[in-house]
Amino acid sequence: MDEPTVTVHHLDKHDAARFRALRLEAFRTQPRAFRYSEHDEARPDPALGAQRLEHDYAMGAFDGPNLIGIGGLATQQGTGCSTGPSYGACM
């Protein structure tokens, strides 16, 4: 049996549909891993996912053409971050 070949690369707008599908699956199976609910993620226009990938830094793990894992850093703006935009958490 052939071992899977996993590659990792930076995700961009061309990966948006696979990125969104994997995130929605993860919301259903691991909801506590996210600060948003599945409902919040499913609402936005799918085009926003492409914009997110162009703005934030996301990596994807691929087994052949299949996206099997994601990770990255996202900027956040909000009242909880008194120091301005942050990556992942306010310090």
Side-chain angles (χ1 to χ4, degrees), residues 47-60:
L48 294 176
Q51 291 174 350
R52 178 189 291 170
L53 291 175
E54 292 298 309
H55 179 263
D56 297 328
Y57 187 79
M59 297 294 290

Side-chain angles (χ1 to χ4, degrees), residues 3-87:
E3 291 294 320
T5 301
V6 175
T7 59
V8 176
H9 67 80
H10 180 253
L11 298 176
D12 63 25
K13 63 184 178 184
H14 303 291
D15 300 303
R18 291 184 285 191
F19 175 78
R20 181 179 167 89
L22 186 58
R23 278 183 61 88
L24 289 174
E25 177 185 337
F27 272 106
R28 287 188 294 275
T29 60
Q30 301 294 325
R32 296 183 66 185
F34 296 90
R35 62 186 169 119
Y36 301 113
S37 72
E38 178 183 0
H39 175 74
D40 293 333
E41 183 74 11
R43 277 193 345 226
D45 179 346
L48 294 176
Q51 291 174 350
R52 178 189 291 170
L53 291 175
E54 292 298 309
H55 179 263
D56 297 328
Y57 187 79
M59 297 294 290
F62 289 83
D63 180 7
N66 302 312
L67 181 61
I68 60 171
I70 53 178
L73 300 170
T75 57
Q76 302 179 102
Q77 300 249 2
T79 58
C81 296
S82 61
T83 58
S86 65
Y87 289 89

